[in-house]
Amino acid sequence: MAKKKIILAYSGGLDTTCAIPWLKEHGFDEVICFSANLGSEFTPEDLIRRGKATGASKVYVKDLRKELADDYLIRGLKANAVYEDKYVLSTAYGRPLIAKYLVELARKEGIDHVGHGCSAKGNDQVRLDVAVKMLEPELKIVAPLRYWELGSRESEIEYAEKKHLPIKLSKEKIYSIDQNIWGIAIECGALEDLRNEAPEDSYMLSQKLEATPDTPEYIDITFEKGVPTALNGKNMDFSDLLETLNGIAGKHGVGRTDLVEDRIVGIKSREIYEAPGAWTLIHAHKELEAAVLDRETLAFKEVISQKYAQLVYQGLWFTRLRKSLDAFIDKTQEHVTGTIGLKLFRGNILVASRDTEYSLYKMNLATYGDEDAFVRENAEAFIDLYAMPFLEK
Ligand code: ARG
């Protein structure tokens, strides 16, 4: 009889580590792992070693950082997408991309089952499942965490220890972590009690404010049609620029947020995030947009931005609506070209300079100096007409 195989989306974390032996105990002869390198702490060698040591027959690792950056993060940046004011959606962008490659690999290997280690009340199961269903409706999806007896992190750790599975004994015991180049998400442990301030050891990418440098750092970010193309005058590929910025802004304690968020399945959860580079880029991008976009486009784009963030969060990446919003957003970016100077200091991002050939800010209209070209006499007639619709007396 042919061997029953499954392709598992594998991160090397606790859930997917337990999933490998569990799937083999529950009807699968072979578990083939697929790991996307989106910029997490595990190296490809680590992942292959850990996956094999856990019982996978093969471990595919694919470096998808550039694809994540170019096809997902740049769109999110142009949209200024932020969920519930505090989450730049790092994890959420990764899921449809992982789904795309799970489907591709399943087709290539002729396998009709794909699996993942997402929690049964989390968002990621929805994102992965919806994306897989949209791309390949025939594939069967197996999500052990919806059924297995390992109902808590404690019981997973016990199971892993009993089976001598490779888990990292320190932080993995406490926190659940998801990381890519756009940011890092951390939950569980002491974070589950809203009365607790996030313990310092839960952060890993950014400096605590108490230890940030005493002097501010100035940086210049150059955009072309909404896409960052240079840092401090040096042309860089977007994903390299982002990774460099994570280092610079992280050193100044930029980009930490602590959010009680609304999950797709209806519950509220608390997560802390670090996204130094992403917040810096969004800040700079909005500053540039403020200078080059007219007020109606800006205001309408705010609405689109909210909707975009919801779609990404809710796993609706491959939908017609998301693509349509992108078409609108791309049109708005035609003049989003120029350089924004920022000052990073003790967790703050402050704008220092704006330089763009498409500026709608006209100094001769804004100035209170001698060069003033604003026709002051027009103001009275303008206001008469402007107020007219509202006059009830
Ligand atoms: N809450 C975030 C989201 O839904 C992150 C989820 C993963 N977090 C984690 N710590 N493993 O996108």
Side-chain angles (χ1 to χ4, degrees):
M1 215 175 75
K3 281 190 166 181
K4 201 169 163 201
K5 298 181 188 177
I6 184 165
I7 309 219
L8 176 71
Y10 174 70
S11 70
L14 182 61
D15 297 323
T16 48
T17 295
C18 292
I20 297 175
W22 191 91
L23 287 166
K24 291 171 78 176
E25 285 159 10
H26 291 80
F28 289 95
D29 303 304
E30 248 191 66
V31 178
I32 298 171
C33 289
F34 169 71
S35 278
N37 173 9
L38 302 176
S40 85
E41 49 174 350
F42 292 123
T43 63
E45 297 72 38
D46 262 355
L47 286 165
I48 293 170
R49 195 169 22 79
R50 286 167 74 101
K52 290 260 176 78
T54 314
S57 59
K58 273 189 234 166
V59 181
Y60 290 98
V61 184
K62 200 161 167 69
D63 188 348
L64 295 177
R65 284 175 298 178
K66 198 167 154 36
E67 187 168 344
L68 177 71
D70 293 349
D71 293 355
Y72 297 77
L73 307 181
I74 284 181
R75 293 183 203 278
L77 172 61
K78 289 182 189 170
N80 301 317
V82 175
Y83 185 69
E84 296 189 333
D85 290 336
K86 288 186 178 172
Y87 174 37
V88 298
L89 298 157
S90 42
T91 299
Y93 290 116
R95 302 308 170 195
L97 178 58
I98 292 172
K100 178 182 154 192
Y101 280 91
L102 274 183
V103 167
E104 214 176 278
L105 198 59
R107 280 188 191 130
K108 197 177 113 201
E109 299 260 347
I111 294 175
D112 57 5
H113 284 83
V114 295
H116 59 68
C118 302
S119 123
K121 54 187 173 186
N123 297 317
D124 288 327
Q125 55 166 351
V126 182
R127 297 171 184 147
L128 277 174
D129 287 15
V130 169
V132 168
K133 282 177 193 294
M134 288 191 74
L135 297 171
E136 190 60 80
E138 297 294 299
L139 272 176
K140 293 184 217 30
I141 304 166
V142 183
L145 274 79
R146 295 188 194 136
Y147 317 107
W148 69 17
E149 56 293 355
L150 311 173
S152 65
R153 285 181 75 75
E154 287 79 9
S155 49
E156 287 181 27
I157 290 166
E158 214 177 283
Y159 176 85
E161 281 174 345
K162 206 171 74 207
K163 295 194 171 297
H164 307 290
L165 306 179
I167 53 170
K168 288 215 301 187
L169 288 173
S170 53
K171 287 203 170 174
E172 232 169 52
K173 271 208 161 165
I174 312 170
Y175 303 114
S176 165
I177 300 161
D178 186 78
Q179 183 177 13
N180 65 37
I181 52 176
W182 200 234
I184 184 162
I186 306 140
E187 62 180 347
C188 302
L191 297 166
E192 286 182 354
D193 186 336
L194 298 189
R195 291 168 300 188
N196 293 338
E197 180 182 359
E200 196 46 47
D201 80 345
S202 55
Y203 292 103
M204 38 207 76
L205 208 59
S206 58
Q207 189 56 266
K208 60 177 173 193
L209 288 187
E210 292 83 345
T212 52
D214 290 328
T215 44
E217 183 162 349
Y218 286 87
I219 57 167
D220 281 333
I221 302 172
T222 303
F223 292 84
E224 275 168 37
K225 296 193 195 298
V227 181
T229 52
L231 180 62
N232 296 328
K234 189 171 163 240
N235 284 329
M236 289 173 96
D237 182 67
F238 176 68
S239 57
D240 295 336
L241 188 149
L242 173 60
E243 293 198 66
T244 310
L245 258 189
N246 274 331
I248 298 174
K251 191 177 71 196
H252 290 278
V254 162
R256 290 184 174 192
T257 53
D258 178 332
L259 171 64
V260 175
E261 73 194 48
D262 288 281
R263 285 199 189 163
I264 310 167
V265 295
I267 61 170
K268 284 191 187 286
S269 63
R270 189 251 191 124
E271 187 124 22
I272 59 167
Y273 297 104
E274 295 174 278
W279 280 108
T280 306
L281 288 172
I282 292 171
H283 200 104
H285 182 251
K286 282 181 148 184
E287 286 294 345
L288 185 53
E289 285 190 330
V292 304
L293 293 181
D294 65 88
R295 69 177 179 200
E296 296 303 321
T297 306
L298 269 176
F300 192 67
K301 192 162 178 287
E302 277 285 317
V303 178
I304 300 300
S305 172
Q306 292 269 336
K307 188 69 207 171
Y308 200 93
Q310 276 170 15
L311 285 180
V312 174
Y313 189 86
Q314 291 167 355
L316 302 178
W317 181 263
F318 290 116
T319 57
R320 183 171 297 279
L321 179 55
R322 196 274 303 162
K323 293 174 196 164
S324 307
L325 296 184
D326 271 324
F328 166 79
I329 292 165
D330 277 338
K331 186 73 188 163
T332 67
Q333 300 299 291
E334 286 174 349
H335 286 179
V336 185
T337 295
T339 299
I340 297 295
L342 297 175
K343 174 177 175 174
L344 306 175
F345 189 49
R346 300 226 193 279
N348 292 295
I349 310 170
L350 303 157
V351 65
S353 64
R354 307 146 172 108
D355 188 7
T356 163
E357 60 182 304
Y358 296 108
S359 183
L360 298 182
Y361 170 92
K362 304 289 180 226
M363 204 164 145
N364 65 348
L365 294 179
T367 183
Y368 287 95
D370 285 339
E371 293 78 41
D372 189 2
F374 189 88
V375 185
R376 283 174 290 134
E377 300 77 16
N378 284 351
E380 195 172 328
F382 165 72
I383 296 166
D384 279 348
L385 299 181
Y386 179 73
M388 199 158 57
F390 311 109
L391 303 180
E392 293 182 356
K393 289 194 197 134

